[in-house]
Amino acid sequence: MARLPKAIRGTLSFRLSLRVLLALATLLLAALLIMFRYSRKAVKEEALMDAQQTLEATVERIDNILLSVEQGAGNVYWKMLPVIDQPEKVEAYTRKLVEANPYITNCNIIWDADTTKAMGWLDPQTQGNAITTYSLPIYKGQEKVGTMAIDVSLALVSKILLEAKPSPNSFCTLLRKNGSVIIHPDSSILNQNILVLAKDKDYSMIETAEAMLNGESGYKKVKLDGNNYYVFYKPFERSYVTGRSMEELGWSVGIILPEKDIFGDYIQLHYIVLLIAVVGLLLLLLSCYFFIHHQLIPLRQLEKSAQRIAGGYYDEPIPEFRRKDEVGRLHRHFQEMQHSLATRMGEMQQLYETLKERGEELQSSYEQAQAADRMKTNFLYNMSDQMMAPIGDIFKSVKTISDRRNELTEEDTDKLVDEIQDRGDKVTALLNQLIKDSEKIMN
């Protein structure tokens, strides 16, 4: 935001658009967080359910293979009993059994009356071509004369297991009851004990291996080679069929599902949704900015008009708008304000002119008063100067009469009195003249 032009960051349009964007982004983020949380839970539950169903289907498919072998062996057995003493026909029946069932790789008749092998599946042999064998005792009357040994290739079973993929990177495994790996996509760990393999791995791997060997069902989250996996496991259980041998095989089937397969599309969807949200918010910001920018054109024009009015241009016309919203009302009020301001400014200008004229008159009167005052001052000063000499003479004559009254003759005294009288008349005349001039100045 700091890199945006200052002209854009400082506009009301941008600030309003940004506030709208922040509000919507907050709501959108809250909605996305809630959606992501529950969708992740739903995706996980769906993936776990698919893995459980795949595990069930895998066990069922393996069991169907074993059952088909058992039923095929049983059918051949009953057909073979009448000709049990004819080796050629017995061999023909065993060949037909191998040809009829694609999962059977070999069928041998072991003529050994002392054999102790009972009916049922033997523990898988993992030397060379790994096989598991179905043993079916042969009786002649009440006497046990041999055993039919039917071999099933574990490679075929492995193909079924490895094809059971609930996700592209998942895989299946099959363990014997002693912990050795019968089937696994990594052939280097076949026939090795799962507990030994898990010893140096994450502790959750050991727990998972022990749970499988204990015949438990469920799933666990494990860490392998830095990646997270979900391991779903259950014991291999055969379906009950009348006449079927139900011995415990002790096998355990597991499906390993990478966490990235569960949440890979989900995470990719996150990025797509976030990208769409970001692009949508940016488009919304631009849309809001241009919309608000267009809506605020009258305000910007009013701003220019206000600047012109502030500069003293009160009578300039304001552009007309026919909007009826808040901006339109503001425009009308602004026009009313301009008209009122122009009227007031006219009245103030008229008052100013009147006050200016009155001021000029007062200034003229003041100057005249000052001139009159100066005239009075000068006049009084002149009159005072003119009266000072007669008054001084009167003072001297009076002092002389006072000081020398015994020495002065009557003639000298009369002369001084006449001088005093003459000087007094002059002072009286000056005072009368002063009064007259003062009345003129005042008028």
Side-chain angles (χ1 to χ4, degrees), residues 318-332:
I318 299 176
E320 290 290 338
F321 301 107
R322 297 181 179 179
R323 296 173 57 168
K324 298 181 179 180
D325 55 6
E326 292 81 356
V327 176
R329 291 194 292 272
L330 175 63
H331 173 260
R332 290 191 293 273

Side-chain angles (χ1 to χ4, degrees), residues 344-357:
R344 294 293 180 86
M345 292 304 297
E347 295 174 353
M348 291 180 65
Q349 183 66 27
Q350 185 177 359
L351 180 60
Y352 171 76
E353 296 294 338
T354 301
L355 292 175
K356 182 179 179 181
E357 183 179 352

Side-chain angles (χ1 to χ4, degrees), residues 384-397:
S384 298
D385 287 343
Q386 293 179 18
M387 289 188 294
M388 288 301 293
I391 292 173
D393 292 339
I394 292 172
F395 178 77
K396 290 179 180 179
S397 295

Side-chain angles (χ1 to χ4, degrees), residues 53-70:
Q53 292 176 350
T54 302
L55 186 62
E56 295 287 345
T58 301
V59 171
E60 185 175 350
R61 290 184 65 183
I62 296 174
D63 185 52
N64 289 337
I65 293 174
L66 300 184
L67 182 59
S68 67
V69 172
E70 295 172 10

Side-chain angles (χ1 to χ4, degrees), residues 110-118 135 137-139 142-147:
I110 303 174
W111 301 105
D112 184 2
D114 296 331
T115 181
T116 58
K117 295 181 180 180
S135 173
I138 302 174
Y139 288 89
Q142 298 296 323
E143 182 182 1
K144 186 176 182 181
V145 296
T147 301

Side-chain angles (χ1 to χ4, degrees), residues 118-284:
M119 183 177 66
W121 291 93
L122 304 180
D123 213 19
Q125 302 297 316
T126 57
Q127 301 297 328
N129 185 18
I131 60 172
T132 182
T133 302
Y134 179 67
S135 173
L136 183 62
I138 302 174
Y139 288 89
K140 185 177 181 180
Q142 298 296 323
E143 182 182 1
K144 186 176 182 181
V145 296
T147 301
M148 180 184 294
I150 304 164
D151 297 333
V152 176
S153 173
L154 289 180
L156 295 176
V157 180
S158 175
K159 182 179 180 181
I160 295 173
L161 283 176
L162 297 179
E163 287 177 353
K165 296 170 69 69
S167 67
N169 299 305
S170 62
F171 58 92
C172 296
T173 185
L174 181 65
L175 303 181
R176 296 171 61 181
K177 59 185 177 181
N178 64 356
S180 61
V181 180
I182 303 174
I183 296 174
H184 194 277
D186 186 359
S187 59
S188 64
I189 67 173
L190 293 178
N191 305 325
Q192 298 187 44
N193 191 284
I194 188 65
L195 292 176
V196 176
L197 294 174
K199 183 178 180 181
D200 297 329
K201 303 296 182 182
D202 187 75
Y203 182 72
S204 57
M205 282 289 296
I206 300 177
E207 289 184 336
T208 304
E210 291 177 347
M212 293 181 68
L213 297 181
N214 291 333
E216 299 177 10
S217 299
Y219 75 91
K220 291 184 181 296
K221 185 177 181 180
V222 301
K223 195 173 189 67
L224 183 62
D225 297 331
N227 297 316
N228 292 324
Y229 293 84
Y230 284 90
V231 180
F232 300 83
Y233 52 87
K234 68 170 297 181
F236 179 78
E237 298 174 350
R238 296 186 294 164
S239 302
Y240 175 77
V241 177
T242 303
R244 186 181 190 186
S245 60
M246 298 300 295
E247 73 278 5
E248 184 68 33
L249 299 182
W251 298 351
S252 182
V253 182
I255 291 182
I256 294 84
L257 185 64
E259 189 178 46
K260 64 180 180 181
D261 282 8
I262 299 178
F263 300 111
D265 293 338
Y266 170 78
I267 294 174
Q268 185 178 5
L269 179 62
H270 276 200
Y271 292 135
I272 295 174
V273 171
L274 289 176
L275 178 61
I276 294 174
V278 171
V279 173
L281 289 174
L282 291 177
L283 292 176
L284 177 63

